[in-house]
Amino acid sequence: MKVVDQKYAIPSFNLTRQNEGLAEKILGSLSKIIAQGSFILGENVKILEEEIAAYCGTRFAVGVASGSDALYLSLLACGVGPGDEVITTPFTFFATAGAIARAGATPVFVDIDPETWNIDPARVEEKITARTRAVIPVHLYGCPADMDPILVLAAKHGLKVIEDAAQALGTAYKGKRVGALGEAGCFSFFPTKNLGAFGDGGMVVTSDPEIADRVRLLRVHGARPKYYHHLLGCNSRLDELQAAVLRVKLPHLDGWNQRRREIAARYGHLLQSVADAVGDDLRLPTAPDYAYHVYHQYTVQTPRRYELRAFLQEHGVGTAVYYPLPLHLQPVFAPLGYRDGDFPAAEAAAREVLSLPMFPELTDAEVQYVAATVTEFWA
Ligand SMILES: *Cc1c(COP(=O)(O)O)cnc(C)c1O
């Protein structure tokens, strides 16, 4: 699968610019692993786990095969299973709810706050039942969900909070890094994420020793020692070669995230006048007071999304739609019985969001060109 589209003069995402500068160091690290022949759960995975735990401010981190598995194994480690309900947002990547269903539980959706596109905490309590076991807030596009009201409800009703922080490594909520706010935090190292590997990878962070221990067991088919199985897990380990790539990149993450914020500020500055002029026709992203937003995506909302997208494409600018169909309307979840109209804010977002080019190596001139092209569309 090719994750980067190079047919545009300004692609929505580009990996080669970042990798060029790091190639030598990464290849050196990979050569060492090849020479040693230690490919599974070696030193790099162990050290990266320590580095990510320290970065997030949690006691533990456990490397797994993907962000999807980080969610799935966190749910299992929290004891979620058949008969349980887990509350989450319908406006996210499929894996969030897919993990709940894979654990045998039922996803229960709650509409989003149209300003942030994240789960609306004011709508969570009405969905809590005797079967509810956990809540999965998603920090979509790198903006933290409003966690305090969710944590209060979770404490009141005895629910686990598992953060889907796949798009949000480095994001902070009221000064605290996400992933460390609930019982467990889940990260993805898919190549296009803010810290991207050369393939799939993920991590669970937690300060709960039992959750950490269970995820460690679950990722090796529940075996301890080898061939003696205590839990029904799966094979889901962070690859040693990927961990080595990630360790070279991690020291650059904060700088890259700062550059994303700078690009977002520049887009905001350049697009404010057109947004003011066209009113509801164009909404720019905002960062709430509690947010240190790392702009995994710079996403705008417009009812004229496909026209704008086509116009940008004609002018050599790539864009992306995350995500075109909310999860409650996905064919695979039809048995859950949701209908079109159940979650108006999520449905409007799915119809209207468009992500502009965003990656740290984007130049100021490119940002300027993208903004000028968006402005020209409404001229
Ligand atoms: C990317 C992503 C995931 C899944 O991560 P993978 O590593 O691709 O399995 C889960 N949730 C969200 C919100 C994501 O963006």
Side-chain angles (χ1 to χ4, degrees):
M1 181 176 140
K2 198 156 169 243
V3 296
V4 179
D5 195 339
Q6 304 287 22
K7 71 177 181 250
Y8 297 101
I10 306 180
S12 68
F13 187 78
N14 170 298
L15 278 169
T16 50
R17 293 184 197 179
Q18 180 172 102
N19 291 335
E20 274 165 11
L22 299 171
E24 209 178 313
K25 208 160 174 198
I26 290 172
L27 289 172
S29 201
L30 298 183
S31 300
K32 227 189 270 173
I33 296 171
I34 293 165
Q36 291 167 347
S38 168
F39 297 109
I40 302 290
L41 295 181
E43 184 170 274
N44 282 281
V45 170
K46 186 169 174 289
I47 298 172
L48 182 71
E49 288 174 343
E50 289 163 10
E51 289 169 344
I52 296 283
Y55 183 83
C56 292
T58 57
R59 289 180 64 194
F60 311 101
V62 186
V64 296
S66 67
S68 302
D69 277 3
L71 290 160
Y72 170 60
L73 298 180
S74 294
L75 285 160
L76 295 187
C78 286
V80 173
D84 294 335
E85 295 175 355
V86 178
I87 293 174
T88 193
T89 163
F91 190 56
T92 173
F93 178 58
F94 178 77
T96 316
I100 298 169
R102 272 208 290 159
T106 304
V108 173
F109 297 112
V110 168
D111 208 359
I112 56 169
D113 171 351
E115 284 299 313
T116 62
W117 298 297
N118 281 324
I119 192 167
D120 183 351
R123 296 170 186 273
V124 170
E125 192 160 29
E126 68 200 50
K127 294 296 179 74
I128 296 174
T129 72
R131 291 171 177 266
T132 310
R133 288 293 296 273
V135 185
I136 307 186
V138 180
H139 309 302
L140 198 68
Y141 306 145
C143 182
D146 189 4
M147 292 297 291
D148 277 350
I150 294 170
L151 293 168
V152 166
L153 280 177
K156 182 176 158 191
H157 295 274
L159 311 177
K160 304 282 188 193
V161 175
I162 298 169
E163 295 172 73
D164 182 341
Q167 302 185 0
L169 187 60
T171 295
Y173 174 78
K174 298 186 180 174
K176 203 170 169 196
R177 288 242 163 89
V178 300
L181 301 163
E183 267 73 31
C186 302
F187 295 106
S188 166
F189 303 123
F190 186 75
T192 63
K193 304 288 160 107
N194 288 21
L195 181 66
F198 287 179
D200 282 305
M203 197 161 287
V204 177
V205 295
T206 180
S207 290
D208 181 328
E210 275 179 38
I211 293 175
D213 189 57
R214 262 183 249 142
V215 175
R216 277 184 206 288
L217 260 179
L218 287 164
R219 75 176 167 179
V220 292
H221 284 297
R224 183 179 293 153
K226 221 171 173 179
Y227 311 124
Y228 293 83
H229 301 264
H230 304 272
L231 293 172
L232 199 54
C234 57
N235 173 359
S236 182
R237 299 173 288 234
L238 175 61
D239 189 86
E240 180 70 5
L241 292 167
Q242 301 303 341
V245 173
L246 293 165
R247 286 193 58 215
V248 173
K249 290 188 169 196
L250 181 59
H252 300 275
L253 178 66
D254 284 344
W256 289 333
N257 280 344
Q258 268 166 33
R259 174 64 187 154
R260 287 173 181 275
R261 287 167 54 81
E262 200 178 289
I263 292 167
R266 210 166 266 272
Y267 271 136
H269 174 71
L270 294 167
L271 293 171
Q272 195 57 56
S273 57
V274 62
D276 289 343
V278 303
D280 288 346
D281 231 19
L282 176 64
R283 248 197 44 223
L284 304 179
T286 51
D289 288 343
Y290 55 69
Y292 182 83
H293 192 327
V294 299
Y295 294 95
H296 172 62
Q297 298 297 335
Y298 186 88
T299 301
V300 303
Q301 187 165 346
T302 170
R304 298 177 66 192
R305 175 180 62 197
Y306 284 119
E307 283 170 80
L308 175 61
R309 186 175 205 192
F311 185 82
L312 287 168
Q313 184 175 341
E314 277 166 35
H315 290 78
V317 177
T319 57
V321 172
Y322 306 111
Y323 298 91
L325 187 65
L327 301 190
H328 65 290
L329 301 178
Q330 293 290 344
V332 70
F333 288 139
L336 297 178
Y338 290 99
R339 285 157 201 251
D340 203 355
D342 283 344
F343 304 116
E347 289 159 20
R351 276 193 307 272
E352 299 182 349
V353 290
L354 188 67
S355 297
L356 303 182
M358 172 57 89
F359 49 95
E361 298 75 19
L362 207 55
T363 66
D364 290 350
E366 288 171 325
V367 173
Q368 183 116 23
Y369 177 79
V370 174
T373 312
V374 172
T375 306
E376 195 188 326
F377 173 75
W378 268 286

